[in-house]
Amino acid sequence: MPKNPRDMDLHNMAWTISSLDMAIYGNPIRLDYIEKIMNNYEKKYSEINQTRIIASLKNIERIMLDRIYTPVIRKRLKILNYGTRAFLISAIIVAFISLFYRMNWLLYVFYPLFILAVLFLLLNYIVLKGIDRKIENLNDEDYLEEKEFIKSINQYLIDLMAKKVKEKNANPIDYRIPLKSEYKNLEIVSRSTFFRKYYTAIVKIQP
């Protein structure tokens, strides 16, 4: 959360837009923060219905747990995450000991640990890509309805944020928004990469 009170409104709006979009794809979000922010927005903007938005987010979360992030998938991801960290940390410790104490024979321990860390990282990536494909192809009527609703709220917030940035004569680059879905009235700053599954955008300032 932002620390500069002068920019709190714009920072919160950028964070909210990103969080709502990530929720569409099953990413965990702080519902308590969203609820507080939406409660504040509801008092200012008639287009915002806090109760409906929170219900939609909870419904998406339920669908994701039922259809995508099943217990088997969650267990698999947990094992891969822990395995990657364990092997990588072990490899770093072994490498440090080998260099510090000049125990070159430990390199024969380092290489297998490092290879296993990379292997677990690649397996984790493959599983996550498979999850992304399942979400993209998820043909659930409730999910598609909630997805379009959240995206419509986000589009409203993006347009609103663009007006606020212009009114405050702020620099849009200070309020970058990580996103996965496509929206109007945005300028892409950086695209998704092999390791980063989202792109970063800023709001467009209309002349």
Side-chain angles (χ1 to χ4, degrees):
M1 297 296 287
K3 296 180 179 179
N4 188 344
R6 293 174 300 172
D7 303 324
M8 184 67 74
D9 188 33
L10 293 174
H11 275 288
N12 278 344
M13 197 163 283
W15 179 85
T16 301
I17 292 167
S18 178
S19 296
L20 291 177
D21 187 68
M22 295 299 172
I24 293 173
Y25 299 92
N27 292 54
I29 62 170
R30 290 295 303 270
L31 267 179
D32 53 339
Y33 283 175
I34 293 289
E35 195 165 359
K36 289 178 182 178
I37 292 172
M38 286 303 167
N39 184 47
N40 184 41
Y41 288 168
E42 189 175 39
K43 297 173 183 175
K44 297 179 181 179
Y45 316 114
S46 58
E47 290 82 355
I48 299 297
N49 184 328
Q50 181 227 40
T51 304
R52 173 71 178 88
I53 292 169
I54 298 301
S56 178
L57 292 173
K58 288 181 177 180
N59 197 23
I60 289 174
E61 183 180 40
R62 177 190 60 78
I63 293 169
M64 287 293 164
L65 290 174
D66 289 344
R67 302 287 299 275
I68 305 296
Y69 292 96
T70 61
V72 173
I73 292 296
R74 293 202 301 273
K75 184 177 181 180
R76 191 173 297 169
L77 286 172
K78 188 175 182 180
I79 291 172
L80 290 173
N81 284 328
Y82 282 145
T84 302
R85 293 176 187 173
F87 286 125
L88 186 58
I89 291 171
S90 299
I92 292 172
I93 292 173
V94 168
F96 176 78
I97 294 173
S98 174
L99 291 172
F100 190 78
Y101 293 103
R102 297 182 180 180
M103 300 170 67
N104 293 333
W105 62 270
L106 279 177
L107 291 176
Y108 293 103
V109 180
F110 165 79
Y111 289 125
L113 288 173
F114 182 74
I115 291 171
L116 284 170
V118 172
L119 179 60
F120 268 65
L121 184 64
L122 288 174
L123 288 173
N124 189 60
Y125 174 79
I126 291 170
V127 171
L128 290 174
K129 288 297 289 184
I131 290 173
D132 286 343
R133 283 194 295 270
K134 284 183 179 180
I135 293 174
E136 289 173 5
N137 298 323
L138 185 55
N139 192 23
D140 183 283
E141 190 174 332
D142 286 343
Y143 170 72
L144 295 176
E145 182 181 338
E146 301 293 12
K147 178 181 178 181
E148 289 307 309
F149 171 70
I150 293 297
K151 286 184 68 175
S152 69
I153 294 297
N154 253 358
Q155 188 62 63
Y156 170 77
L157 291 175
I158 288 168
D159 296 338
L160 181 63
M161 183 177 173
K163 293 178 183 177
K164 284 182 171 289
V165 168
K166 185 177 181 180
E167 288 171 3
K168 297 184 179 186
N169 197 27
N171 187 351
I173 203 70
D174 293 332
Y175 311 101
R176 303 183 188 192
I177 312 171
L179 297 164
K180 289 187 176 182
S181 304
E182 293 184 5
Y183 296 96
K184 299 176 182 177
N185 206 18
L186 288 176
E187 180 182 341
I188 297 176
V189 176
S190 60
R191 299 189 179 276
S192 59
T193 63
F194 180 84
F195 293 103
R196 192 179 63 196
K197 298 185 293 180
Y198 58 84
Y199 70 94
T200 306
I202 57 175
V203 294
K204 282 184 180 179
I205 307 301
Q206 301 300 329

